[in-house]
Amino acid sequence: MAKGRGVLSIDSDLISTTSAFFLHNPTVLNSFPDQENIVNPKWKQLATTGRQTMDATSARSPPTTIQFPVKLINTNDARDDDDDEDDDDSSLPSDNRRRTVIDEMDFFARKKHDDGYPITNNSTDDLKDSGSPAGLELNVNTGLNLLTTNTSSDQSMVDDGISSNMEDKRAKSEVAVLQAEVERMKVENLRLKDMLNQVNSNYNALQMHLVTLTRDQKSHHKNKQHDDKIKNNGMVPRQFMDLGLVAAAGDTDDLSLSASEGGRSRDRSRSPGNNVENTNEDGALVFDQDKKGFARGADHREDSPGQGWASNKVARLNPAKTIDQTEATIRKARVSVRARSEDAMISDGCQWRKYGQKLAKGNPCPRAYYRCTMAAGCPVRKQACFLFFSLIIFEDRTILITTYEGNHNHPLPPAAMAMASTTSSAARMLLSGSMSSADGLLNSNFLTRTLLPCSSNLATISASAPFPTVTLDLTQNPNPLQLPKQPTQFQFPFPNATQDPANASATALLPQIFGQALYNQSKFSGLQMSQDMEPNRLGQQSQPASQQNPLADSLAAATAAIAADPNFTAALAAAITSIIGGAHQNNINIKVKPNPEREEIKLGVHSFLKLPVQIWQSRKGEEKRLVVVDKGTA
DNA sequence: CGGATTTGACCCGCGC
DNA sequence: GCGCGGGTCAAATCCG
């Protein structure tokens, strides 16, 4: 079973801040009753963050055990009024008066005593005394009728003139009954919380549908006009982004796929099993664009396993490319999360089952395919593969790229909600059409500021890839000015990353650059990286590596040795060549100033690779350059 | 023994 | 039309 064992690091501040921009109500995060029992400490803060909402929810929930003692006090007051037969001219009904005659409340008398209002069981004088202070609570209505049974029995007690021993026994039995009742109410409370959570989830899902469908309608007119522009200037990527709006109407898998494939039959010659997984067996509503309405999932079986990965299925459709059909060609957004993890899977709170593994070209690290198994028919899938360069350059600092697609059709545990909210919101941002770009890679200020306000470099959008993809880079340290370090929330398995400025910057920059390159291989034309790229970032990392890392000197020596090793050269070149597919023009220029802070880049490389690369050093020795040589000539 | 994983084969789109 | 690559399936295998 594929269980997330990796250490995923997400800053909960980031999430909490981000959640303010989520379309669906983040309170879902807090609606699970088991927050106290969260095992993983990494998520505890999330649970704690949500506790306010939980408390509020509890306060609004049906009567709890807290309230009914108040009701008892109220009864005592009434009893007091009645017991004072001589002085009292109470207008209470006769039954209430009879009820108050009961002097059964041994344990309540004790409680009152504790509260400072002493009551003696059989003393009517005491009953008189006890009446006045409790009168403040007369108006408290607990909504519980727990006293009904008690009072009736008490009434008979009084009439029968039972002794104090019997009263003690009765009191004990009533305590037991009340305790059982308390337990029952606790269980009921938990059940109600579950129901509330379910309602919240349903509400959020419906809200998302409504928003996206409304947006779809509004954008439909725009798309018409936009298509004309596209015809004229062939701005396919632009068109693509706009089509994303339609996909956004699904926001979730179901809708987009239905819209894109509605009315067409799949020609895939697979076994019927292909259709099993995405048919919404749970009866989820699916929007059928052809039918202009929602249909039950059971009737919506044209889809294939790829409800999740819709893109290639969309491409399988009728190749005739009219504008309308192009509109129907909806590619689903993907959200790629880049996190530091040494395990093949990050722990995102969901249960995944691995259904395939593929050795993608250019990456010796196989890509694993997972599907969500938390609910039958859940269309969510994810891919996971290690960032190759992270293995090359930071051997001990692997970066795992996890790509999600689709939305879950089932309630999620809090831990999963964090990731799901992040990814779904990112996908919505991508598909919202508010940040369309004429060309592939862009850094969206909009997305950055809204989805990930803590950092300006955490989110990247790629529309040129086969799928619109939002990449959330969780490998970087957020801007320390905006987000103080909180290493306790999520633990990256790389302690040095925050300690060593050089490491921090390098680990942040390289994966960002190379990782994006991997996702845009078709557009890859060269990369440059310099220490000057982010002076602020480096400036905020105060101490030089040599001061903080006692191994700096030895590392520098090792670096020099490794860099001089022809095996290293060959290995690194081979790796890069492999990644970029041996394209002739693909020279990767990595400017490396001879700075001791860089020494970690070269560690442990040549044990990993075997193909050639050339390292060129400038005359002055200020700069080293890695040149990828063609596979045949290297 | 049931469920999860592995892995070779297959399907399909796309580029040449 | 053919080959390549991504994605998926499903039988075989593993494992608790």
Side-chain angles (χ1 to χ4, degrees):
Chain A
M1 175 175 174
K3 294 178 180 176
R5 293 158 305 174
V7 180
L8 169 62
S9 300
I10 305 175
D11 200 309
S12 70
D13 270 10
L14 184 151
I15 293 196
S16 61
T17 309
T18 304
S19 63
F21 301 90
F22 290 169
L23 288 179
H24 54 259
N25 195 342
T27 55
V28 176
L29 262 174
N30 313 323
S31 300
F32 290 87
D34 293 333
Q35 287 177 342
E36 297 293 343
N37 297 328
I38 294 173
V39 174
N40 192 339
K42 288 179 288 187
W43 299 101
K44 271 203 167 181
Q45 179 145 353
L46 283 178
T48 305
T49 305
R51 194 150 299 157
Q52 289 181 345
T53 309
M54 280 290 290
D55 292 342
T57 303
S58 300
R60 289 191 301 269
S61 61
T64 65
T65 57
I66 297 175
Q67 293 176 324
F68 78 82
V70 177
K71 179 70 176 181
L72 290 174
I73 291 172
N74 184 1
T75 305
N76 286 339
D77 294 337
R79 178 191 59 191
D80 293 342
D81 291 340
D82 258 357
D83 287 344
D84 193 3
E85 294 177 355
D86 295 337
D87 301 336
D88 189 12
D89 53 353
S90 171
S91 61
L92 289 171
S94 59
D95 55 344
N96 280 348
R97 301 183 70 174
R98 289 184 63 88
R99 179 189 307 170
T100 58
V101 169
I102 306 159
D103 52 354
E104 79 284 9
M105 298 296 192
D106 284 346
F107 59 99
F108 289 116
R110 182 177 179 180
K111 173 175 174 49
K112 282 207 166 190
H113 197 72
D114 295 340
D115 294 339
Y117 305 122
I119 294 178
T120 304
N121 290 344
N122 298 325
S123 171
T124 55
D125 293 337
D126 292 338
L127 289 176
K128 285 181 183 177
D129 294 338
S130 66
S132 56
L136 295 174
E137 297 167 323
L138 275 172
N139 294 330
V140 177
N141 182 11
T142 67
L144 291 176
N145 296 324
L146 298 177
L147 285 178
T148 302
T149 305
N150 294 339
T151 52
S152 62
S153 63
D154 294 340
Q155 177 179 349
S156 62
M157 276 175 52
V158 172
D159 291 342
D160 295 342
I162 295 177
S163 67
S164 60
N165 290 335
M166 291 294 293
E167 289 171 359
D168 290 339
K169 290 181 180 179
R170 182 181 303 277
K172 290 179 181 178
S173 65
E174 289 192 3
V175 168
V177 170
L178 290 173
Q179 285 177 344
E181 189 71 14
V182 167
E183 292 302 319
R184 192 186 63 82
M185 294 304 298
K186 286 180 180 178
V187 173
E188 181 71 10
N189 192 26
L190 289 178
R191 198 173 59 84
L192 289 172
K193 286 179 181 177
D194 286 338
M195 292 175 61
L196 179 63
N197 174 52
Q198 188 69 33
V199 169
N200 273 337
S201 299
N202 294 337
Y203 170 77
N204 292 331
L206 290 174
Q207 190 180 36
M208 286 190 295
H209 286 313
L210 178 62
V211 170
T212 52
L213 289 174
T214 303
R215 187 191 307 152
D216 181 28
Q217 284 185 340
K218 289 181 180 178
S219 64
H220 185 70
H221 181 64
K222 286 183 180 179
N223 288 341
K224 291 284 186 180
Q225 296 176 344
H226 214 68
D227 290 336
D228 295 336
K229 293 181 181 178
I230 293 166
K231 286 180 181 178
N232 294 333
N233 55 21
M235 297 280 286
V236 175
R238 185 90 176 177
Q239 176 187 10
F240 168 74
M241 291 300 294
D242 289 337
L243 289 173
L245 287 171
V246 185
D251 185 331
T252 57
D253 19 47
D254 301 340
L255 304 188
S256 62
L257 248 219
S258 302
S260 63
E261 297 188 356
R264 272 177 291 106
S265 64
R266 302 287 308 255
D267 55 352
R268 189 164 182 170
S269 60
R270 289 270 175 172
S271 63
N274 289 344
N275 295 331
V276 172
E277 111 185 35
N278 27 320
T279 49
N280 288 310
E281 294 162 352
D282 56 350
L285 287 174
V286 175
F287 184 77
D288 188 328
Q289 201 172 39
D290 292 343
K291 298 176 182 177
K292 304 294 181 188
F294 288 95
R296 283 279 162 189
D299 298 329
H300 197 79
R301 291 184 171 270
E302 78 274 17
D303 200 12
S304 67
Q307 189 159 8
W309 304 135
S311 58
N312 47 352
K313 282 151 200 153
V314 170
R316 288 176 207 155
L317 305 179
N318 190 344
K321 297 191 176 181
T322 64
I323 293 299
D324 291 338
Q325 286 170 335
T326 305
E327 281 183 344
T329 303
I330 297 164
R331 304 182 189 190
K332 302 174 69 176
R334 291 182 177 183
V335 178
S336 177
V337 178
R338 198 174 302 160
R340 291 166 182 164
S341 174
E342 293 179 353
D343 290 310
M345 262 182 59
I346 57 177
S347 176
D348 52 15
C350 284
Q351 292 180 343
W352 303 92
R353 178 172 179 173
K354 188 176 182 179
Y355 67 90
Q357 179 172 303
K358 193 77 174 181
L359 194 63
K361 184 182 180 182
N363 191 348
C365 306
R367 176 181 301 163
Y369 299 89
Y370 300 90
R371 62 167 60 102
C372 178
T373 59
M374 293 192 73
C378 180
V380 176
R381 301 187 182 193
K382 77 172 182 179
Q383 301 175 351
C385 65
F386 285 107
L387 182 60
F388 185 39
F389 265 94
S390 71
L391 294 178
I392 299 171
I393 300 177
F394 312 104
E395 186 183 35
D396 60 338
R397 300 181 178 188
T398 54
I399 295 174
L400 183 69
I401 298 176
T402 306
T403 304
Y404 295 87
E405 181 173 321
N407 278 15
H408 297 277
N409 61 0
H410 51 84
L412 294 171
M417 281 299 300
M419 178 61 77
S421 297
T422 301
T423 56
S424 64
S425 297
R428 267 194 300 278
M429 291 286 187
L430 173 63
L431 297 176
S432 66
S434 61
M435 56 185 102
S436 58
S437 169
D439 194 5
L441 180 64
L442 58 89
N443 244 332
S444 171
N445 290 331
F446 177 72
L447 179 71
T448 296
R449 291 175 185 171
T450 54
L451 181 66
L452 298 166
C454 299
S455 170
S456 60
N457 290 327
L458 292 180
T460 312
I461 301 173
S462 172
S464 65
F467 318 94
T469 302
V470 177
T471 300
L472 305 179
D473 193 344
L474 302 180
T475 64
Q476 300 186 45
N477 294 326
N479 187 343
L481 294 179
Q482 298 176 2
L483 184 66
K485 294 177 182 177
Q486 293 180 342
T488 58
Q489 297 170 8
F490 295 92
Q491 299 172 356
F492 290 111
F494 297 54
N496 290 338
T498 55
Q499 295 173 357
D500 185 339
N503 286 355
S505 60
T507 54
L509 293 177
L510 270 179
Q512 171 96 2
I513 296 171
F514 292 128
Q516 195 59 53
L518 286 177
Y519 275 90
N520 297 277
Q521 292 181 18
S522 61
K523 288 182 169 293
F524 189 97
S525 61
L527 295 169
Q528 281 202 341
M529 145 180 170
S530 168
Q531 213 172 8
D532 297 330
M533 287 179 67
E534 299 221 356
N536 292 336
R537 182 179 299 275
L538 290 175
Q540 290 165 356
Q541 315 272 346
S542 56
Q543 297 179 341
S546 58
Q547 295 178 8
Q548 218 166 14
N549 189 353
L551 300 177
D553 294 339
S554 60
L555 289 182
T559 297
I562 293 172
D565 186 347
N567 291 334
F568 163 76
T569 301
L572 186 55
I576 298 172
T577 303
S578 173
I579 286 179
I580 63 179
H584 293 268
Q585 78 285 5
N586 288 328
N587 292 341
I588 297 181
N589 299 324
I590 302 178
K591 296 180 180 178
V592 182
K593 293 184 179 179
N595 188 319
E597 294 180 0
R598 289 285 180 190
E599 76 277 9
E600 78 280 2
I601 292 178
K602 299 149 185 140
L603 290 181
V605 174
H606 59 292
S607 64
F608 187 78
L609 303 168
K610 294 180 179 178
L611 293 177
V613 128
Q614 294 178 355
I615 296 179
W616 297 85
Q617 185 172 0
S618 64
R619 296 176 181 175
K620 297 180 181 180
E622 294 176 347
E623 170 178 311
K624 292 178 181 177
R625 188 163 60 96
L626 304 181
V627 177
V628 178
V629 185
D630 286 350
K631 284 179 177 176
T633 60

